[in-house]
Amino acid sequence: MPEIIERVLYSAADIARRVAELGSRISQDYREGAGRDPYRRPLLVVGLLKGALPFMADLTRAMDIPLEYDFMAVSSYQGRTSPGEVRILKDLDSPVGARDLLIVEDIVDTGHTLDHILRRLRVRDPASLRVCTLLDKPARREVEVPVHYVGFTLRGKEFVVGYGLDYAELYRNLPYIGIVKPEYQET
Ligand code: 5GP
């Protein structure tokens, strides 16, 4: 285990089990919604780079409905120079008007990133807009955001890495999610 990690919070097996559950539940929800309109375009699953990459890959492979991929990349500066400022580094390739959109996020922390993305997408008039996050950290929330599907809810304010989540860009490739030792945690 890398030196910065205190302990494993969710093992690869815990994650796989939960992702499979989420995938089948989400498929069921959209199948029910889509069944009424045969002309409706397939679900557009939007992964937020870079952190959601492994989750998006596993979640969509646990889904058995027609779907398309797209990606957005944003950078956030909260806690440093300008609180809550979010910059779009890569926007969607596809138009989203009248499409069903599912945003896939690694973690919702203060909520600023997601709030900004949702505002930008809502004005493009999607048919529906839902959010699936692997991790939710409600204890740190600063803005209220709608989250429809949550993998795991963290009780405290711990900083975690692995399965897409980084520490100074490292450790995204760990197959598990680990808690970073207090002495390494950013404030
Ligand atoms: P928010 O805008 O909700 O505060 O922040 C969301 C982003 O902050 C996440 O997409 C993620 O990049 C980063 N983040 C928040 N909490 C953690 C954490 O515990 N670990 C890591 N690695 N990144 C986090």
Side-chain angles (χ1 to χ4, degrees):
M1 211 155 59
E3 153 66 20
I4 70 156
I5 295 182
E6 186 171 77
R7 66 183 172 89
V8 173
L9 185 59
Y10 301 112
S11 69
D14 294 334
I15 297 168
R17 211 176 306 119
R18 188 67 188 122
V19 170
E21 285 170 5
L22 279 175
S24 67
R25 194 175 133 217
I26 294 171
S27 304
Q28 194 181 329
D29 287 357
Y30 282 95
R31 228 182 340 254
E32 283 166 9
R36 288 188 287 276
D37 180 0
Y39 297 105
R40 203 142 177 172
R41 301 266 317 268
L43 174 68
L44 186 63
V45 182
V46 177
L48 301 187
L49 297 172
K50 305 166 193 171
L53 186 98
F55 180 43
M56 165 111 169
D58 289 342
L59 179 71
T60 53
R61 284 180 295 174
M63 291 166 64
D64 60 353
I65 53 168
L67 58 85
E68 295 176 19
Y69 275 21
D70 208 336
F71 295 94
M72 279 180 93
V74 298
S75 72
S76 349
Y77 298 98
Q78 70 260 11
R80 292 180 193 92
T81 47
S82 31
E85 188 191 318
V86 177
R87 206 156 52 94
I88 305 281
L89 304 176
K90 186 219 168 289
D91 207 336
L92 296 177
D93 294 334
S94 355
V96 302
R99 304 277 317 252
D100 291 307
L101 256 63
L102 178 68
I103 311 296
V104 176
E105 174 63 303
D106 53 358
I107 185 164
V108 181
D109 187 36
T110 64
H112 285 292
T113 308
L114 192 55
D115 182 58
H116 186 91
I117 288 169
L118 290 175
R119 282 171 197 276
R120 287 188 63 126
L121 294 179
R122 273 191 208 111
V123 297
R124 302 181 197 177
D125 288 326
S128 69
L129 186 54
R130 288 189 171 188
V131 174
C132 176
T133 186
L134 176 68
L135 300 171
D136 188 12
K137 224 194 269 182
R140 293 217 347 134
R141 199 74 93 249
E142 290 174 10
V143 283
E144 215 178 298
V145 280
V147 182
H148 306 86
Y149 304 102
V150 176
F152 302 101
T153 301
L154 305 183
R155 262 173 289 161
K157 299 182 176 181
E158 57 271 42
F159 194 84
V160 293
V161 291
Y163 197 67
L165 291 146
D166 75 309
Y167 180 91
E169 292 299 326
L170 290 173
Y171 312 113
R172 293 190 195 274
N173 58 320
L174 295 176
Y176 55 85
I177 292 168
I179 299 185
V180 172
K181 287 177 184 164
E183 60 265 38
Y184 289 99
Q185 291 199 17
E186 296 164 345
T187 48

